[in-house]
């Protein structure tokens, strides 16, 4: 199985390229963004040494679907998906925060809570909560957006005080965060899933705020199966989930959390295929559609380059 882990395209009007943990972002004439969802996978803020087949296609197509399903809530950057692994959209100046919203105490929030933390990002948490228990209502827990290293928790008050986002813009993106999450939860519920938590990124263009990047993908979101949720909660059993948390847990079991002295475990072809299957499973569950694998024969990068060049030429 093939996986695309690196791109080095040269498109007409290309000003720059940014290679993120997962996405390669090409700036076209400071006006458009060509975002390639590669098959790279990251956990604990480090990119794993092996790509995951079809992961980029899964991420790109889920995000494109949810961007299209939420245009009534807020404007977003997407213009087109000229290739299964590519979205082209408007270039926006991104805010230097990620808006994380949580409906259930789990993951990193649970790990902090278990250690005695009762406040996250300025949001006070009640005593006596159990792992995977619902919050009375979803909580917004933003983080700073770091170019390298770990993103850091930050409160709404600190964001505004430090001038990272103005009070006016923050009010807009927090409102959108809650509405987008509610929509995501509604769609997930129809598919027998619970959208547990997720992150959104926002930016600005010509004075207007926009939703940017991906939404409701397994890289940015955590899903539980609704069936058996209450029973597992009562018994204190792990929830059956569709998210990248299973990969984090596998790394933890292999003594890796990207801490000093720790060595990345080997990712075998067999394990990469298991991860690929989990991503495809999430796609089919959350969208209710069968995943149509893009053709593996031929060069993936060459296919992407051809499709993007044709799209950009059609806009002239």
């Amino acid at each position: 199985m093939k996986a695309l882990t690196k791109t080095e395209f040269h498109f007409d009007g290309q000003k720059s390229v940014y290679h993120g943990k997962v996405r390669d972002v090409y700036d076209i004439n400071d006006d458009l963004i060509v975002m390639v969802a590669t098959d790279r996978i990251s956990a604990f803020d480090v990119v794993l040494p092996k790509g995951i087949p079809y992961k980029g296609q899964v991420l790109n197509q889920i995000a494109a679907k949810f961007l299209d399903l939420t245009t009534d809530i807020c404007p977003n950057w997407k213009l087109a998906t000229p290739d299964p692994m590519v979205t082209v959209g408007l270039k926006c100046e991104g805010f230097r925060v990620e808006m994380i919203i949580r409906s259930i105490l789990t993951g990193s929030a649970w790990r902090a809570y278990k250690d005695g933390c009762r406040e996250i990002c300025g949001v006070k948490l009640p005593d006596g909560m159990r792992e995977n228990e619902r919050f009375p209502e979803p909580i917004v827990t933003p983080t700073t957006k770091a170019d390298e290293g770990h993103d850091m928790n930050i409160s709404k008050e600190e964001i505004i005080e430090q001038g990272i986002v103005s009070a006016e813009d923050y009010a807009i993106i927090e409102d959108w965060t809650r509405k987008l999450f509610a929509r995501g939860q509604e769609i997930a519920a129809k598919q027998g899933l619970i959208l547990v938590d997720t992150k959104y990124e926002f930016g600005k263009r010509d004075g207007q705020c926009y939703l940017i990047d991906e939404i409701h993908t397994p890289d940015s979101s955590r899903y539980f199966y609704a069936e058996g949720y209450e029973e597992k909660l009562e018994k204190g059993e792990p929830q059956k989930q569709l998210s990248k948390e299973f990969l984090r847990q596998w790394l933890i079991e292999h003594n890796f959390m990207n801490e000093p002295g720790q060595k990345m475990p080997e990712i075998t072809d067999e394990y990469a295929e298991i991860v690929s299957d989990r991503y495809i499973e999430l796609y089919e569950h959350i969208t209710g559609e069968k995943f149509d694998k893009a053709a593996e024969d031929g060069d993936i990068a060459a296919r992407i380059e051809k499709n993007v060049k044709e799209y950009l030429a059609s806009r002239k």
Side-chain angles (χ1 to χ4, degrees):
M1 294 172 79
K2 292 181 183 175
L4 179 74
T5 56
K6 187 179 179 185
T7 73
E8 288 294 347
F9 299 126
H10 299 282
F11 301 119
D12 287 345
Q14 183 173 315
K15 296 283 188 183
S16 63
V17 57
Y18 167 72
H19 298 285
K21 289 173 194 154
V22 172
R23 288 171 176 74
D24 292 345
V25 183
Y26 292 82
D27 179 334
I28 311 298
N29 289 320
D30 288 327
D31 180 44
L32 300 181
I33 290 293
V34 173
M35 189 179 283
V36 183
T38 73
D39 293 321
R40 296 192 296 268
I41 190 165
S42 72
F44 298 116
D45 292 315
V46 65
V47 176
L48 276 62
K50 189 185 287 285
I52 304 300
Y54 300 110
K55 174 181 175 282
Q57 182 185 346
V58 165
L59 294 191
N60 191 62
Q61 292 185 335
I62 290 177
K65 182 180 181 71
F66 280 104
L67 287 169
D68 290 344
L69 288 174
T70 53
T71 52
D72 59 317
I73 294 173
C74 63
N76 68 58
W77 71 289
K78 175 182 175 274
L79 294 172
T81 49
D83 182 271
M85 297 173 75
V86 178
T87 297
V88 179
L90 300 170
K91 182 182 180 184
C92 300
E93 187 67 39
F95 293 127
R96 303 297 298 166
V97 294
E98 294 184 349
M99 298 296 283
I100 296 170
I101 182 165
R102 308 170 185 272
S103 65
I104 286 173
L105 180 60
T106 193
S108 63
W110 166 250
R111 289 192 281 271
Y113 189 91
K114 195 171 55 171
D115 289 341
C117 175
R118 291 296 179 270
E119 186 175 312
I120 303 178
C121 306
V123 180
K124 289 191 171 17
L125 304 178
D127 283 322
M129 289 190 71
R130 296 165 293 167
E131 183 177 12
N132 299 326
E133 185 177 346
R134 291 183 192 273
F135 294 115
E137 62 179 45
I139 62 172
V140 176
T141 58
T143 64
T144 57
K145 189 162 169 52
D147 289 325
E148 291 181 16
H150 294 278
D151 298 337
M152 303 296 290
N153 286 347
I154 189 168
S155 68
K156 167 184 175 178
E157 291 71 25
E158 289 169 323
I159 290 168
I160 294 167
E161 212 173 273
Q162 294 175 25
I164 300 171
V165 181
S166 71
E168 295 75 20
D169 288 342
Y170 189 89
I172 291 168
I173 65 174
E174 184 179 53
D175 179 57
W176 287 353
T177 293
R178 293 188 183 282
K179 287 175 177 170
L180 289 165
F181 189 60
R183 175 69 53 81
Q185 287 185 308
E186 285 169 24
I187 295 168
K190 289 175 185 168
Q191 302 298 333
L193 296 172
I194 299 167
L195 178 56
V196 174
D197 49 43
T198 192
K199 77 169 176 71
Y200 303 109
E201 295 188 38
F202 299 94
K204 218 167 180 185
R205 179 184 169 109
D206 301 328
Q208 165 74 56
C209 290
Y210 285 84
L211 171 63
I212 62 173
D213 201 48
E214 62 175 340
I215 66 167
H216 300 165
T217 73
D219 269 20
S220 65
S221 314
R222 189 189 325 259
Y223 292 90
F224 286 168
Y225 285 88
E227 187 178 353
Y229 163 74
E230 295 291 350
E231 188 182 339
K232 285 181 168 59
L233 176 66
E234 289 308 315
K235 291 181 178 176
E237 295 175 354
Q239 293 292 331
K240 188 181 178 194
Q241 61 176 293
L242 283 169
S243 75
K244 206 165 61 171
E245 185 67 16
F246 75 92
L247 175 65
R248 294 188 196 98
Q249 290 301 329
W250 182 84
L251 289 169
I252 290 169
E253 285 163 18
H254 288 77
N255 303 310
F256 184 83
M257 290 180 72
N258 195 21
E259 291 173 355
Q262 292 185 335
K263 189 182 172 197
M264 171 72 69
E266 182 194 359
I267 313 290
T268 63
D269 289 345
E270 290 75 19
Y271 187 67
E273 201 166 326
I274 288 168
V275 178
S276 176
D277 289 344
R278 291 290 290 269
Y279 271 81
I280 290 170
E281 182 187 2
L282 185 135
Y283 176 93
E284 294 185 341
H285 272 83
I286 191 55
T287 65
E289 300 166 3
K290 181 140 180 53
F291 182 71
D292 186 12
K293 292 179 178 179
E296 259 198 327
D297 50 335
D299 187 322
I300 298 173
R303 182 200 76 206
I304 289 172
E305 186 171 33
K306 174 179 174 289
N307 288 340
V308 172
K309 282 184 172 177
E310 284 177 0
Y311 173 76
L312 293 175
S314 75
R315 289 183 57 85
K316 290 181 180 175

